[in-house]
Amino acid sequence: MTEQEVIDVPELEESKSRSYEQCIRVGDRVLVAGQTGWGEDEIVSREFEPQARRCFERIEYALEAADAELSDLVQMTVFLTDMRYAREFKDIRGDVLGDDLTTSALIGVDSLAQPEMLVEIESEAISPRE
């Protein structure tokens, strides 16, 4: 069995008290917990675009802490509280990731952990350590 390595991500809040880790490396796999538009103490905006871009920033923090980068992403599960944001999300994802496509699931949900949250992204990357 491959050993799990918990990755400390200083830019993200501690999550152990809520019974999960922000990022775990298992061999070449880097698993990033669902990231939202959370800022330092509150949601970054009540608007969709700033929240979605913040999700990607948070994912990038986790990947960098695990010696990986956004171009190593291979899978994303995206949760939207309103499917009308789907086209806008696709545009933002393209802006952030460029031609680096991933497998993806887009799921509409009634709500997320906080009522003001509009999007959450869970992701996985493949990045061998050098």
Side-chain angles (χ1 to χ4, degrees):
M1 181 172 143
T2 305
E3 190 170 317
Q4 293 183 12
E5 176 188 355
V6 174
I7 304 298
D8 179 46
V9 186
E11 297 88 351
L12 301 181
E13 62 276 357
E14 186 276 326
S15 58
K16 284 186 192 329
S17 64
R18 288 172 275 162
S19 302
Y20 75 96
E21 298 291 353
Q22 292 283 8
C23 185
I24 293 177
R25 179 181 271 280
V26 182
D28 292 347
R29 296 175 64 201
V30 179
L31 305 160
V32 181
Q35 298 300 316
T36 64
W38 196 253
E40 289 186 30
D41 297 319
E42 61 187 0
I43 205 77
V44 294
S45 170
R46 295 207 180 256
E47 301 296 319
F48 180 78
E49 181 176 358
Q51 286 193 35
R53 289 189 182 280
R54 180 66 175 159
C55 290
F56 282 108
E57 288 174 7
R58 292 170 60 89
I59 291 167
E60 189 168 27
Y61 293 147
L63 292 174
E64 287 175 354
D67 298 322
E69 52 193 46
L70 287 173
S71 63
D72 295 322
L73 285 173
V74 294
Q75 194 279 329
M76 293 188 314
T77 303
V78 182
F79 302 93
L80 299 179
T81 59
D82 189 329
M83 291 304 286
R84 289 179 287 185
Y85 295 129
R87 169 75 51 204
E88 188 174 358
F89 178 77
K90 180 181 175 187
D91 293 343
I92 294 166
R93 180 182 60 202
D95 186 43
V96 172
L97 299 180
D99 294 332
D100 296 326
L101 299 178
T102 68
T103 62
S104 186
L106 185 62
I107 302 168
V109 297
D110 289 333
S111 65
L112 294 167
Q114 301 288 327
E116 63 273 12
M117 292 178 178
L118 304 174
V119 58
E120 182 168 343
I121 306 170
E122 182 179 67
S123 57
E124 180 177 347
I126 303 294
S127 178
R129 284 224 166 121
E130 295 179 25

